[in-house]
Every structure is written in structure tokens, then in C-alpha cells.
Amino acid sequence: MSAPVKKNDRATVYIEDLTHDGNGVAKVDGYPLFIQGALPQETVEVHVLKTLKNYGFAKVINIIEPSPDRVEAPCEYFKQCGGCQLQHLSYEGQLKWKQKMVENVMKRLGKIDAPVHPVKGMDNPWNYRNKAQIPFAQGEEAAIAGFYKTKSHNIVDMERCLIQTGEADAILAGLKKELAKLGLQPYNEASHSGQLRHVVVRKGRATNEVMVVLVTKSRKFPQKEAAIEVIQRLVPNVTSIVQNVNGEKTNVIFGDTTITLWGKESIEDRIGDVRFEISARSFYQVNPEQTEVLYKQALDYAQLEGNERVIDAYCGIGSISLFLAQKAGFVMGVEIVSQAIEDAKRNAELNGFTNTYFEAGAAEEVIPRWYKEGKEADVLVVDPPRKGCDEALLNTIIEQKPKRVVYVSCNPATLARDLRILEDGGYKTQEIQPVDMFPHTTHCEAVAWLELV
């Protein structure tokens, strides 16, 4: 059966929902059209761009009836840059949509009937990112720097970003003007020529400390002292200037070699009362204000009274583990990345925690051994990557039967899938609390609380 519309057709449609990447969804005789820039509850006239067997793509020509939540996007680069998808939707509208999205995913994919609470958002949803990774390239006349267009490696040359820090903006706008003086030719992906690939800016929200990382193709850096002076002028509160060397033909930002050019090799930040050392390549949540909200929610759901043994699977640098250690009897963290485990141990020592233990390895292998050694958990916390929990880990949880599971998720779809598996294995999801870690994007984190029944 052919599609009811074809390329270059015009149609008037009603927008029913948004996709995970922020496109409006409309249906023509049941045939889905994905429409960039359209919002739910809008009636729009569209131009059909492409049709496939089961769905098509279109662009808005005219908004006939706008959404009550439509606003003018404040960022001048919004329509070009792929960093944000929802600036044209009011923040209140974003939070409502994210709650509905999580609810729908839970019911549709997981058949989970637990209550999904309203999303915990930010009082000021701007300038929240404490880490900027800025690619540099050579433009027609001068260096350009900014962020990539959606689904491309074409840089949108920009002077500022409304979700980054002021220090990142200063580097973004200022450093590209100084590159020629510093003898730093921007990197060219196609020819693998040039020197400066990325500049990474990290800031400790609680301490105001800033790290600037210059990612270069080679170690050679003849005007190092001049570069340090320029960065100090652009960012007066900089406390660490670092060079990272990445000579590979790759899209991965960092290489294996990191050299401290000036100042400290790491900066410090705090989430609640817990201190963290952050090096150039450390994993650390990019929205510390909402990270505290997220971790407090996980701590609330853990319901610790002071004597419990807690296992933190996918513990990373120990950020959730150390939050839990404030209330638990003992916390054991496991993480497959050995460098993260070293960071976790150092952070535990930094905070004076003596009731923690961290081990490198696969959670689905390490945790069963802990149980055989008699190290059983009252509460098990998981905070997996976007792909969700490893199937073997879910089976381990079901077999070992900790009485309570707290699942911290950055992907509602894999959360729903994993909750279904855990519920089929004897658990019951009590409630789900979404947290908006990334305002103006379609991403939404959530914390789920499960009890053994």
C-alpha cells in the first residue's frame, strides 16, 4: 500500500506528540510524518520532504494554530545547532511533555503501572552545563568554533551558548581570534592536518575553579607560554590549563596523553556535602545542581537507616556511592572502568569515608562473587549507561534478591525494559521520579524505586 502523501506534497496536519529527538509527529490517514520544529497541539501546513514505506518527513511552511506553550527560542543559533531541541517550547511545557513521555514509555514498552511524578525541573534552566567540548576548524577566512549541526560534523560558528558557562563562552569567542598568533592551526578532519582539535572547559560550580583543556594532534606546542597568558586573560578564574594529545584519526575527543601546562592537574567541586576531584578526562555529571536533586532522590528511595549494606553497580567515580555512604552502614561499588575506580577511591579518601569499598570489574561477575563471600546487600543501586543494565546483571539481581532496588536511568526506554524484567523476576515498581538534567533538550533522567514482593 502506497503512502497517502508523496514528496513535495503540501498538507495541513495536527501535531500529536514529539519524537525522542524533538520532531513533531502528525498522521495523515494513519501514516506518520515527522516534522522538525513543530510542537504538540499545533495545526501546521507542511511541505513533504521524503516518504518511506512506513513514515515520512516534512517541514513547516506555516503555523496555523500554535501550541499554547510555543515561545520564541532565545538562542540565535537554535535552528542550526544540534545542541538543544526544545528552546521553542516553554520550560513549563518541556516539563509537562517529559512527564507524559516517561509515562507513555513505561506503559507502552514496560507495561509498568507505577505512578510517574511531575518532573523536578530547575528554577533557572540556563547556563547549567559545567563542561563544554568545543570543536575547532578552519573557516574560509579564519578559525571557527562552535557546536555541530544536527546529525553532521559541520560546525556552527558561534560566540556563545546559552546552556554553557560564561567561562566557556569567553574561550569560545576569544580563543579562536588568538589562534593565528599562537601558531595553532585548527584541525582538519578530512586531511588529518592542523593542530588544535577541541577545547574543553570544565568548571566547579561550588568552588568556581575552571580547567581549560587544549586537545591537540601532537605534543608539539612552541608557543605554550603565550597560550597560557591568553587563557588567563580570557578566564581570570582559571586554575588548571592542560594539554591532551590525540593523534588518531577518530571522532573520540581525548587521547591517552595528558600534560598539565599550568596550575593544578584537577579542579574540585561539591555536590551537597560531598567533594569531588575532577581531572581532564574524569566522568562527572554536567549539571551539578540537578545532580544533587537526582542523588537525593536516589538516597530517599534507598530509605537508609544507618546499618544497611549497599551495592552500587556502575558506580563510576563513586558519586552516588559517596552520597549513599553518608547514611549507609557500608557501600560497595563496582565499575568496569579501572580509572574510574581509582577516582572513586581517591574521592572517598578526600571526603574521609571509611565505610566504602570499590572494585574494578563487570558488575554481573563481581556481585555474585561478593554474595558467595557473604557480602549480601540490603539495597542495590544501579546507574547504567543509556543502553541500560546488562542482562546478566538483571539476572543476578533476581537471583540474589536484595529487598530494595533503586534504578537511576538516563534513558526511559531502557528503564521500562529493565523494570519489566525485574517485575517478572519478583519485584514491584513503587514509583518513578523524573529529573530534568538537560533543560531544552529531549533527554530526561528518572529514578525508580522497586521492592521485592
Side-chain angles (χ1 to χ4, degrees), residues 86-320:
L86 299 179
Q87 281 194 21
H88 58 318
L89 180 61
S90 72
Y91 191 54
E92 182 182 351
Q94 292 178 33
L95 297 181
K96 287 189 295 184
W97 175 75
K98 288 182 180 184
Q99 180 185 4
K100 179 184 174 186
M101 180 266 293
V102 174
E103 287 175 336
N104 289 344
V105 168
M106 292 304 128
K107 290 174 182 174
R108 189 178 74 252
L109 296 183
K111 305 296 187 289
I112 304 297
D113 60 5
V116 176
H117 297 301
V119 181
K120 290 186 175 181
M122 301 186 72
D123 291 335
N124 175 23
W126 302 101
N127 306 112
Y128 60 83
R129 289 187 62 96
N130 61 9
K131 179 183 179 184
Q133 300 181 147
I134 306 165
F136 278 68
Q138 183 63 45
E140 292 183 5
E141 298 180 357
I144 61 172
F147 300 98
Y148 294 121
K149 291 182 181 179
T150 304
K151 297 179 181 178
S152 82
H153 262 234
N154 298 321
I155 293 173
V156 178
D157 191 27
M158 57 179 66
E159 298 295 308
R160 63 176 188 147
C161 171
L162 297 183
I163 63 172
Q164 311 282 6
T165 63
E167 288 84 357
D169 286 345
I171 289 292
L172 178 64
L175 191 57
K176 61 185 175 182
K177 297 175 183 175
E178 306 278 356
L179 288 187
K181 299 177 188 175
L182 300 175
L184 279 174
Q185 183 73 16
Y187 180 70
N188 184 305
E189 273 190 338
S191 62
H192 193 53
S193 61
Q195 176 72 331
L196 185 65
R197 301 175 70 130
H198 279 79
V199 174
V200 179
V201 184
R202 308 191 73 155
K203 181 177 181 180
R205 179 185 65 128
T207 62
N208 205 40
E209 294 182 348
V210 173
M211 171 185 286
V212 176
V213 185
L214 305 174
V215 183
T216 58
K217 191 184 80 170
S218 70
R219 192 163 182 151
K220 183 180 177 183
F221 201 158
Q223 298 196 48
K224 177 177 69 176
E225 297 302 324
I228 291 170
E229 290 178 12
V230 167
I231 292 170
Q232 289 173 326
R233 173 165 48 80
L234 293 171
V235 184
N237 55 320
V238 67
T239 55
S240 173
I241 302 175
V242 173
Q243 179 187 10
N244 176 267
V245 181
N246 182 359
E248 302 298 318
K249 292 182 179 180
T250 175
N251 292 333
V252 176
I253 293 175
F254 287 113
D256 293 332
T257 303
T258 302
I259 307 148
T260 302
L261 301 178
W262 176 87
K264 303 189 299 179
E265 67 177 20
S266 62
I267 59 174
E268 188 175 303
D269 198 11
R270 292 190 301 276
I271 299 176
D273 296 325
V274 183
R275 299 162 62 195
F276 294 94
E277 277 191 8
I278 309 161
S279 61
R281 298 175 64 191
S282 292
F283 172 79
Y284 187 67
Q285 294 277 10
V286 300
N287 186 339
E289 182 178 334
Q290 288 297 88
T291 297
E292 185 171 353
V293 173
L294 187 77
Y295 289 0
K296 281 183 175 179
Q297 189 63 57
L299 189 58
D300 286 347
Y301 280 166
Q303 300 176 49
L304 302 176
E305 297 178 353
N307 298 313
E308 295 87 354
R309 182 182 291 272
V310 181
I311 289 178
D312 180 10
Y314 306 102
C315 71
I317 64 167
S319 47
I320 293 181

Side-chain angles (χ1 to χ4, degrees), residues 17-25 33-40 55-58 78-79 81-89 97-98 101 105 108 149-151 386 411-413 440-444:
D17 202 353
L18 290 174
T19 65
H20 68 278
D21 52 3
N23 289 329
V25 181
L33 281 177
F34 301 131
I35 305 158
Q36 187 175 0
L39 293 173
Y55 57 88
F57 299 91
F78 171 64
K79 292 183 179 179
C81 174
C84 297
Q85 302 87 41
L86 299 179
Q87 281 194 21
H88 58 318
L89 180 61
W97 175 75
K98 288 182 180 184
M101 180 266 293
V105 168
R108 189 178 74 252
K149 291 182 181 179
T150 304
K151 297 179 181 178
R386 289 190 62 79
N411 184 345
H440 313 298
T441 78
T442 56
H443 298 295
C444 188

Side-chain angles (χ1 to χ4, degrees), residues 283 285 294-295 312-315 319-320 335 381-385 389 406-410 445:
F283 172 79
Q285 294 277 10
L294 187 77
Y295 289 0
D312 180 10
Y314 306 102
C315 71
S319 47
I320 293 181
E335 165 65 49
V381 177
V382 296
D383 182 11
C389 287
V406 178
Y407 192 131
V408 181
S409 169
C410 60
E445 306 235 347

Side-chain angles (χ1 to χ4, degrees), residues 379-422:
V379 180
L380 194 143
V381 177
V382 296
D383 182 11
R386 289 190 62 79
K387 66 180 182 180
C389 287
D390 188 282
E391 184 180 359
L393 176 60
L394 294 173
N395 291 334
T396 296
I397 295 170
I398 292 167
E399 289 169 8
Q400 306 299 345
K401 295 181 170 54
K403 66 180 181 180
R404 183 171 300 121
V405 174
V406 178
Y407 192 131
V408 181
S409 169
C410 60
N411 184 345
T414 54
L415 173 63
R417 179 201 68 196
D418 291 352
L419 292 184
R420 179 71 268 148
I421 293 170
L422 291 171

